[in-house]
Amino acid sequence: FSDASATPGFPGYKRGRVYVYDLDGTNRQDISGPTPTQSAELFGHTLAATDTKIACGARNMDNGRGALFIMNYDGTAMTKIVPAVRDVDDYLSHVSINSTKIAGGATGVGNDNQGAAYVFNHDGTGEVKIEASDSQGGNSFGQATALTQSKLIVGCPELGGVRAGSVYVYNLDGTGELKITPSDGAPGDTFGYSVAVTPDNKIVVGSQSSDPGGLQDAGKVYTYNLDGSGETIYQPDTPEAFAKFGSMVAG
């Protein structure tokens, strides 16, 4: 769990914190960032985990440049990971992790929020920067990421300025780009606002602003094979306007 804010008026407002529990809710472990009294860093803005490691994003750290962190479940051996080149308001966060790699999306990278995704080794080495081949301003590429052992999935919900959205799949070295769009996509759907991957390597995509049955922002969820085939569409039996079904997904 994370708490990326704090009570206004207290030192460290919006500094963020990560909480770890046993599955029965006991043995809470509180984990703060490396500068626990620094305001507005949003440590814990996004979270991911393996069996042995926790990863989190701190969206506003370093004046909006953002950062990724990897640590043990007790908060020890914390490593801060950032790209070699970054700018104010890159907003690196949107973290994902596998047994050897950590990835993050930075929606503010480039001219007019084109966005980028990064892949690193767990120790922060081996940086790979990935940008969409059809990148353009306002795309928010990197709004969500997910990792398998061999692939990176990146959500791009604002694609083309019409907010229809898309999802991209890459090899971990940034090659082999595959673009996925829904069969029933429409402007304003924000397909790719959230992404995840299941243990059997199915891509899960949230499209929180889809309008099933004409209901505004009711939302949908899609699943695909890693090659983009096998589309399946999910929505509630009784969709509700503004429910934003799919705003968060998990594998």
Side-chain angles (χ1 to χ4, degrees):
F1 296 91
S2 68
D3 178 5
S5 64
T7 304
F10 282 78
Y13 173 52
K14 292 188 177 180
R15 63 189 182 274
R17 184 176 293 165
V18 172
Y19 299 89
V20 182
Y21 298 84
D22 290 345
L23 295 182
D24 62 0
T26 61
N27 295 323
R28 189 178 97 177
Q29 178 76 46
D30 298 7
I31 303 174
S32 296
T35 52
T37 61
Q38 181 67 41
S39 295
E41 289 188 333
L42 297 182
F43 178 83
H45 177 251
T46 56
L47 286 173
T50 69
D51 289 343
T52 59
K53 297 288 184 179
I54 302 169
C56 77
R59 183 180 185 271
N60 285 0
M61 185 164 280
D62 300 335
N63 297 313
R65 292 173 175 87
L68 307 178
F69 291 86
I70 186 171
M71 68 206 81
N72 297 326
Y73 269 86
D74 61 0
T76 60
M78 182 182 293
T79 300
K80 179 181 178 181
I81 299 175
V82 298
V85 178
R86 54 187 184 143
D87 201 354
V88 175
D89 298 336
D90 279 354
Y91 299 124
L92 176 64
S93 187
H94 308 295
V95 71
S96 54
I97 191 172
N98 66 19
S99 63
T100 60
K101 300 288 186 179
I102 182 172
T107 56
V109 167
N111 295 324
D112 192 23
N113 299 329
Q114 291 180 3
Y118 297 86
V119 180
F120 305 89
N121 298 322
H122 281 188
D123 62 0
T125 62
E127 175 187 328
V128 177
K129 181 181 180 180
I130 300 173
E131 297 174 287
S133 60
D134 56 353
S135 180
Q136 54 186 291
N139 278 1
S140 294
F141 179 86
Q143 166 64 32
T145 69
L147 279 169
T148 72
Q149 288 302 115
S150 61
K151 299 289 185 180
L152 172 70
I153 299 96
V154 183
C156 185
E158 305 287 337
L159 182 70
V162 296
R163 302 178 68 241
S166 62
V167 167
Y168 297 80
V169 183
Y170 299 89
N171 299 321
L172 298 186
D173 62 359
T175 62
E177 180 183 84
L178 171 70
K179 182 178 178 180
I180 300 173
T181 56
S183 61
D184 61 349
D189 281 357
T190 63
F191 176 85
Y193 185 86
S194 57
V195 298
V197 64
T198 67
D200 60 348
N201 288 333
K202 292 283 188 179
I203 300 170
V204 186
V205 183
S207 183
Q208 66 164 5
S209 299
S210 294
D211 302 334
L215 296 167
Q216 184 176 355
D217 294 348
K220 295 180 184 178
V221 169
Y222 299 75
T223 60
Y224 300 88
N225 299 319
L226 286 178
D227 64 0
S229 66
E231 179 185 76
T232 303
I233 304 173
Y234 301 87
Q235 63 188 57
D237 291 337
T238 54
E240 297 182 12
F242 306 108
K244 293 190 178 294
F245 179 74
S247 60
M248 300 180 71
V249 295

